[in-house]
Every structure is written in structure tokens, then in C-alpha cells.
Amino acid sequence: MAKKALGPAMLELVAAVEEALDRLGEKGAVPLLVGCSGGADSLALVAATAVVAQRREVLARALVIDHGLQDDSDAVARKAATRAERLGLPTDIVAVTVVPDGTGPEASARTARHAALAEVADALGAIVLLGHTLDDQAETVLLGLARGSGARSLSGMAPARDVFVRPFLGVRREVTEAACAELDTKFWRDPHNDDLGYARVRVRKKVMPMLEAQLGPGIAEALARTAVMLRDDTQVLDDLAAKAIPDGVLTDRELSVAELPKEQALRRRILRRWLLAHGAAEPAYTQVKAVDSLITDWHGQKWIEVSGLRVGRRGGRLAVMTD
């Protein structure tokens, strides 16, 4: 495949992978592991990564995760692996057990998938490339808006976080499908992607087309651009919060109210990090706000329940309570 002239869609995708690896600096020279579902996005990423890996002389392979959520999931996984290997990367299949954790089937499956990818990446000393596109990013931002989420959620998916890298966040989904056509590669269409019982599918099938029809083209690009701007702003606030209260202090079971910043945006970021440090599972905005009220509206209330924690105030200090 590498000896054949690349079409315009593949050229765009290869450039996106090259740019993503360049942004990582030295980390971009480690082995590459591509998460492959067999869909157009992930197969196009496999093909683009195969080209880049050959150019850069780095090791690369693909990994197909079999979630076991459909009767024919093993057959789908085998077909995805076969197609990925034809596109130039050796491919393995890993079966996982999706354990419901109260976050919904999509989120539970994602948790199991990411854990498996991270485990294999750790064994290989690799980074994981994921095929999320600009369209996925736009849908994520729109879902966050509908939930009334803050800047952290509206920042969408990060281009790079931990071992995971998303080279295609600036690429439209239609480009990955065009790349598969250029490569004469069939791809799997997940039936869940047509199930309007999922909020993301409703956004994709109903909401986004309506917005484009009523407000004009470019909605997806605008939403993705919003995510980039909010991510930059959020990073600045997170850095300021970290300077105000170092991470080491957050392991203490008590926080001095007097030492917390007066600025609400910084103070609530610190409170969120403090709660996470003591085992709270992604505290919601309302929970962080309630803990903050122990500072801003203290009138002797006993405690606040936060994800299995009890947080109270003892004089001039907030405390994770054990009794």
C-alpha cells in the first residue's frame, strides 16, 4: 500500500497523524498502537498509521477489542482484524468483559476498552492512537451543552491525554470514509450508531442536521473550535489553581478555608481536586458547589455527601469526615 500513490483523503489523514506525533515530541517516536473497531474512522487511522510508521521507522500494530455485547461480536472482531492487517498493521484481538458501572452501556464499554488498550500499550511501551473525528468532538460538545456542563466537559476530548492520542479531531468523518473508498476497503457499520435510543445517535441523526439546516453549514467546525478554546482557558485556570494549592496539600484530610483562593473558579477547581484525591468519583458540579457553600454560606450545617464522602467544616477548616 505504501508504494501506491495516496489519494487526497489519505494524504489529509497521513498529515494529521504526522502532526499529532510531531506535537508529542520525543514521545511520538515510541511504538504506536491503533485501537481498531472495524469502522471507517479506525480503519482509516490504521492505514494512515501504517504509512507514517514506515516513514518514521517506528513499530506499529493494531488492537481490536471484542466487547462481547452482540451475538456476532467475535466475527466482527475477526473481520476488523483481517482488514487492519490488509492495510498494513499486524493486529491482535482482545476480549473484554464490560461491567455495568452506572454510567450507561456506552461509557461502561469505553472504560473496559480503554483499560485493555492501556494495558497492552504499557506492555509495548507504546502510545494509543484513537480514531475520533471532528464530528465526534462536535457531538461531545453539544451533549455537554445539553447537560449544562462546565468548561471542562465542553472542552471535549483531549488531543492527547495519558497514553491516548486522537490525531483526527480536526478531520471530518466524511474524509475517513473517503479514505476507505480510496483504499477499496469495506468497513463495519455498528448497528448501535443507528439506534435512536442513544443520545449521541439522536444528536448525530437529528440535531446536527437540523442545526445545519437552520443556522447554515459549519456547525460541527464551530463546536469543535469552541472545544479547543475552552480547553486552552481551562488549562490556564487549572495551572493557576495548582499554583495556589500544590497537589501535596490535597492529600491532607483537612483544608484551611483561609488559604483557599477568593476567586470562585480557582477555589472550586481546588475543591474538586481535593475531593478526587480522597476517593470521590468525578464529583458533579452540584456537589462541588455544595462543598463550596461550606465556605461561602457557612451557618453550622453538619456535612455534605459527595460520592461516598462526608465533607464538613470544623471551625476554619474543611474536613473529610470519618465519624
Side-chain angles (χ1 to χ4, degrees):
M1 185 192 69
K3 295 180 180 180
K4 182 180 178 181
L6 300 177
M10 272 298 297
L11 285 172
E12 181 175 346
L13 299 184
V14 167
V17 174
E18 294 269 25
E19 182 181 351
L21 296 181
D22 287 342
R23 285 197 301 265
L24 295 175
E26 291 183 3
K27 192 176 179 181
V30 303
L32 307 175
L33 180 67
V34 180
C36 182
S37 67
D41 302 339
S42 65
L43 285 175
L45 180 57
V46 166
T49 301
V51 174
V52 172
Q54 185 178 58
R55 288 179 179 177
R56 296 189 176 217
E57 298 183 338
V58 298
L59 296 175
R61 58 190 309 113
L63 186 68
V64 177
I65 305 297
D66 179 5
H67 298 89
L69 296 177
Q70 299 174 9
D71 292 339
D72 61 346
S73 66
D74 56 340
V76 171
R78 288 195 301 271
K79 188 170 290 186
T82 298
R83 289 170 175 166
E85 291 194 336
R86 287 174 181 166
L87 291 172
L89 292 187
T91 304
D92 301 304
I93 300 173
V94 171
V96 299
T97 300
V98 177
V99 180
D101 56 10
T103 60
E106 288 180 291
S108 297
R110 181 171 59 250
T111 297
R113 178 169 65 253
H114 283 194
L117 286 164
E119 182 177 356
V120 174
D122 183 62
L124 297 174
I127 57 174
V128 179
L129 305 185
L130 301 175
H132 298 106
T133 65
L134 183 148
D135 297 82
D136 296 311
Q137 185 75 301
E139 292 159 10
T140 298
V141 174
L142 201 53
L143 286 166
L145 283 169
R147 291 192 297 265
S149 301
R152 189 179 307 280
S153 179
L154 297 182
S155 298
M157 294 175 283
R161 179 175 295 162
D162 301 325
V163 298
F164 298 104
V165 180
R166 297 177 173 90
F168 289 173
L169 288 183
V171 175
R172 294 301 303 261
R173 184 177 292 132
E174 63 193 32
V175 178
T176 65
E177 295 185 358
C180 289
E182 289 174 0
L183 298 166
D184 195 24
T185 297
K186 294 181 179 179
F187 55 87
W188 179 59
R189 295 185 184 274
D190 186 346
H192 287 159
N193 289 339
D194 293 317
D195 185 349
L196 293 177
Y198 293 100
R200 183 175 289 272
V201 176
R202 295 195 297 275
V203 167
R204 183 176 303 166
K205 299 284 188 179
K206 301 287 187 179
V207 179
M208 289 296 292
M210 182 273 292
L211 289 175
E212 293 275 359
Q214 297 298 320
L215 301 178
I219 297 297
E221 288 86 352
L223 288 168
R225 188 165 59 249
T226 297
V228 172
M229 291 186 291
L230 283 172
R231 188 179 307 113
D232 291 342
D233 292 349
T234 297
Q235 186 61 57
V236 170
L237 288 170
D238 285 345
D239 289 345
L240 289 173
K243 290 178 181 178
I245 303 289
D247 285 344
V249 175
L250 299 181
T251 59
D252 296 340
R253 297 187 71 84
E254 295 189 358
L255 280 179
S256 170
V257 170
E259 293 178 4
L260 291 169
K262 302 299 182 184
E263 298 85 359
Q264 177 178 281
L266 297 181
R267 187 177 63 249
R268 289 184 176 178
R269 275 171 166 76
I270 291 168
L271 293 176
R272 178 180 178 275
R273 288 166 52 221
W274 181 59
L275 294 169
L276 287 170
H278 291 280
E282 287 300 324
Y285 165 77
T286 53
Q287 294 174 319
V288 176
K289 180 181 177 183
V291 173
D292 193 37
S293 73
L294 295 175
I295 300 170
T296 61
D297 188 27
W298 169 244
H299 49 268
Q301 58 265 48
K302 283 190 173 182
W303 59 66
I304 303 295
E305 296 278 356
V306 182
S307 304
L309 299 178
R310 280 185 176 179
V311 179
R313 177 164 173 168
R314 294 169 175 168
R317 303 183 73 82
L318 294 182
V320 176
M321 303 172 69
T322 57
D323 49 36

